[in-house]
Amino acid sequence: MTANDFFQIGLYLVVLLALVKPVGRYMALVFADEPNRVTRFGAGAERLLYRLSGIRADEDMGWKRYALAMLVFNVAGVAAVYLLQRTQQWLPLNPQHFGAVTPDSAMNTAVSFATNTNWQGYGGESTMSYLTQALGLAVQNFLSAATGIAVLIAVVRGFARRGVNALGNFWVDVTRTTLYILLPFSLLIALLLVSQGVVQNLSAYVDATTLQHGTQTLPMGPAASQTAIKMLGTNGGGFFNANSSHPFENPTPLSNFIEMLSIFLIPGALCYTFGSMVGDRRQGWAILATMLLIFVPLTIGVVAAEQAGNPALHGLHIDAQASAMQSGGNMEGKETRFGIASSGLFAAITTAASCGAVNAMHDSLTPLGGLVPMWLMQLGEVVFGGVGSGLYGMLAFAVVAVFIAGLMVGRTPEYLGKKIEAHEMKMASLAVLIPCALVVVCTAIAVMVPAGVAGIANPGAHGFSEILYAVSSASNNNGSAFGGLSANTPFWNVLLAICMFFARFPLAIAMLAMAGSLAAKRHVPPSTGTLPTHTPLFVALLACIVIVVGALTFLPALALGPIVEHLTSLTGH
């Protein structure tokens, strides 16, 4: 790795950590039970929205009602986005006269955006009208992100509250998330992106004459507004098919830095919010430290692998050394305006955070470089993860960690003053195991069915990686694509839609069930046998649990894909 690589990674982490506390404190005020200067500012707008929607804002919901409201709200979102795609040929704001999206692709896309996955089997600029992009996909970008944060806040209330049966009001949590967090931050980020050259208009596509005197059609559209929320909400769906490698969606190194920062901003700050809401900020810092303990080495790993170049080309005497004129390393599939460090860092961030946006072709990463983003997803998207969903996934691992520690010393495990018993362990185990089971089972189905292997572009180990990556991305609600796999077929649209749906909602319901049980429990004062959960020892234990679960589950599959491909490339093949 070069000094530039370390500088870019270090600068990113410094700026991110500097923003964690102010943004986290702000979000804690947004979700506070008592009125404060933040919620009083928008109280009028809130009351108007509740009155128009017929919502009783003072109603405190139990976990079942909270889960039912969440499920109904998102199923309605799936239906709305599906209908919009199927009827876009008759609707306005369609200057390119795009026809109706096919039923299986429309279903896949509707589930994808409602589950905060944003997996795309289609080309945005060649399939979706402006109305579908803005009213369907961009709106779902807000609502699916708000749903994830709302579920997290309910789970945190489960740890914070004592002797009650209520977790808050889903409709209020979604409204406040959208009104106070997602809308203002998205507006700011969109303006920053426009200042860098990201397009924002409703114009028809433009024909331009190239230097070779040919004609090139340049896509237009409201890209900046959708790009802002796709990053901030860890959605990831690109306005254009090339996603964040497209010059109209991510034109400069500064816009690239803003987009990367937007991805981790809320997941990182929510750790501080969690600590504030449970009354012990050290707990939030410990969770954040665990995420960084896993993320930083893996990021260095993917950048180092790309900077080292493709081992299969080492014998060809190609100049792959970094210099003032080139990034060196493996530049296949990468934009020259970003280079190795920004491309590798982006790949690690987007797969750690369940975002799914890409600024380089992951299919062209070196075998070991491609292994890292794949494994980051397979860890359960808890290393930062999606907004809200990443942190409540990590809290499930924390419950498992204190349970294992309790077994070691023969005591009933406790976490944040609540005894962890059989019901909590069952729900936490479901949350941990559901994504793992989906990846393993659905990958096996895909490689055994002719319709599954028909879409791969490369035979052998790399083709297996293409399938494994796609299923891992959908089953962990990430949405990034490895590339090389032709996934816009009925088989893949149905299979991946099933993965996305069951990776999102059963897991969220399990966490709400656990939170409902915890909220009803009394606080247990710490004793000499209580495991402190804010210490470096617990951080190391929690990180080990996350890594061991991921390693034990996926090492055989990784051995069949990127590992065997790396060993083969060492022989020059």
Side-chain angles (χ1 to χ4, degrees):
M1 286 180 61
T2 66
N4 176 54
D5 297 335
F6 285 111
F7 173 76
Q8 292 199 43
I9 295 172
L11 177 65
Y12 176 81
L13 292 174
V14 167
V15 176
L16 173 70
L17 292 175
L19 292 173
V20 163
K21 184 174 179 179
V23 178
R25 178 186 292 171
Y26 172 77
M27 290 194 289
L29 290 173
V30 169
F31 298 112
D33 290 333
E34 299 298 326
N36 53 66
R37 62 182 185 276
V38 174
T39 52
R40 275 196 291 269
F41 178 76
E46 271 194 77
R47 281 195 297 271
L48 177 62
L49 289 171
Y50 299 150
R51 190 173 298 121
L52 292 174
S53 307
I55 293 171
R56 286 181 50 199
D58 59 344
E59 184 183 17
D60 219 0
M61 297 177 172
W63 79 264
K64 291 180 182 176
R65 286 204 62 195
Y66 201 101
L68 180 62
M70 181 268 297
L71 201 56
V72 169
F73 180 65
N74 284 279
V75 169
V78 171
V81 176
Y82 178 84
L83 289 175
L84 197 56
Q85 294 174 84
R86 296 287 294 148
T87 59
Q88 68 174 4
Q89 72 275 22
W90 300 315
L91 300 175
L93 294 179
N94 186 7
Q96 299 307 117
H97 306 292
F98 291 132
V101 181
T102 60
D104 57 294
S105 180
M107 181 271 294
N108 179 284
T109 304
V111 174
S112 178
F113 278 75
T115 57
N116 199 242
T117 307
N118 295 34
W119 168 271
Q120 293 170 286
Y122 59 89
E125 66 270 45
S126 59
T127 309
M128 300 296 181
S129 70
Y130 291 163
L131 187 69
T132 304
Q133 292 266 22
L135 188 60
L137 307 187
V139 168
Q140 277 303 311
N141 281 346
F142 279 97
L143 299 183
S144 62
T147 297
I149 295 175
V151 172
L152 167 70
I153 296 303
V155 171
V156 174
R157 290 193 187 111
F159 285 107
R161 293 183 175 182
R162 302 169 185 177
V164 299
N165 293 313
L167 298 174
N169 187 306
F170 173 77
W171 308 111
V172 173
D173 290 338
V174 167
T175 302
R176 289 187 173 178
T177 302
T178 307
L179 199 61
Y180 296 112
I181 299 172
L182 299 179
L183 277 173
F185 284 143
S186 295
L187 177 62
L188 175 63
I189 293 167
L191 291 174
L192 291 173
L193 293 177
V194 168
S195 75
Q196 293 300 298
V198 178
V199 297
Q200 179 71 20
N201 58 49
L202 296 175
S203 305
Y205 292 4
V206 175
D207 288 333
T209 302
T210 67
L211 294 175
Q212 291 77 28
H213 304 291
T215 301
Q216 182 179 5
T217 300
L218 303 179
M220 297 284 117
S225 55
Q226 188 162 322
T227 301
I229 185 58
K230 88 166 182 179
M231 295 303 186
L232 187 68
T234 61
N235 297 285
F239 190 90
F240 303 114
N241 192 36
N243 213 298
S244 285
S245 63
H246 197 290
F248 288 176
E249 197 164 327
N250 187 11
T252 68
L254 180 56
S255 69
N256 189 64
F257 188 85
I258 293 169
E259 292 188 11
M260 290 193 298
L261 195 61
S262 304
I263 297 173
F264 270 3
L265 180 63
I266 292 180
L270 278 173
C271 295
Y272 186 90
T273 305
F274 161 67
S276 295
M277 291 184 68
V278 298
D280 185 354
R281 295 192 181 99
R282 297 174 302 176
Q283 303 293 336
W285 289 118
I287 294 291
L288 182 61
T290 305
M291 293 176 175
L292 290 171
L293 186 62
I294 301 173
F295 172 74
V296 173
L298 289 178
T299 300
I300 292 174
V302 65
V303 174
E306 295 309 299
Q307 194 66 66
N310 189 336
L313 304 179
H314 287 172
L316 301 180
H317 306 294
I318 296 174
D319 182 10
Q321 295 299 314
S323 67
M325 300 298 293
Q326 64 174 12
S327 293
N330 174 38
M331 279 298 292
E332 179 188 336
K334 298 180 180 63
E335 294 293 315
T336 53
R337 64 184 185 277
F338 302 141
I340 295 289
S342 290
S343 300
L345 180 58
F346 199 112
I349 291 170
T350 196
T351 49
S354 183
C355 180
V358 294
N359 76 346
M361 177 64 81
H362 288 191
D363 193 38
S364 296
L365 296 174
T366 60
L368 295 184
L371 182 149
V372 172
M374 200 182 311
W375 198 45
L376 276 168
M377 294 187 296
Q378 293 166 346
L379 291 177
E381 295 286 12
V382 298
V383 183
F384 290 93
V387 286
S389 60
L391 184 51
Y392 67 65
M394 182 60 92
L395 293 177
F397 274 100
V399 168
V400 174
V402 296
F403 176 76
I404 292 174
L407 288 179
M408 292 178 180
V409 297
R411 286 180 58 90
T412 301
E414 301 165 10
Y415 187 52
L416 302 176
K418 301 292 181 71
K419 285 191 177 297
I420 304 301
E421 297 174 298
H423 178 73
E424 290 77 35
M425 271 308 300
K426 289 176 184 174
M427 296 302 106
S429 299
L430 281 175
V432 170
L433 295 178
I434 286 174
C436 299
L438 283 171
V439 174
V440 173
V441 172
C442 293
T443 299
I445 292 173
V447 297
M448 291 189 297
V449 176
V453 297
I456 60 176
N458 306 91
H462 195 77
F464 179 76
S465 294
E466 292 172 358
I467 290 177
L468 179 62
Y469 191 102
V471 179
S472 299
S473 178
S475 300
N476 290 281
N477 292 143
N478 181 272
S480 67
F482 202 52
L485 180 70
S486 299
N488 194 10
T489 64
F491 171 82
W492 280 107
N493 281 330
V494 172
L495 182 73
L496 297 183
I498 291 172
C499 292
M500 291 185 283
F501 186 89
F502 285 98
R504 177 74 164 181
F505 299 115
L507 193 151
I509 292 171
M511 292 303 296
L512 288 172
M514 185 182 78
S517 173
L518 290 171
K521 294 187 176 187
R522 303 273 177 197
H523 183 260
V524 179
S527 65
T528 53
T530 300
L531 172 69
T533 52
H534 60 273
T535 61
L537 174 63
F538 183 74
V539 169
L541 175 65
L542 181 54
C544 287
I545 296 295
V546 174
I547 291 172
V548 167
V549 170
L552 289 179
T553 308
F554 295 108
L555 186 58
L558 293 171
L560 294 173
I563 294 176
V564 73
E565 187 183 357
H566 173 71
L567 296 176
T568 304
S569 66
L570 292 178
T571 65
H573 295 88

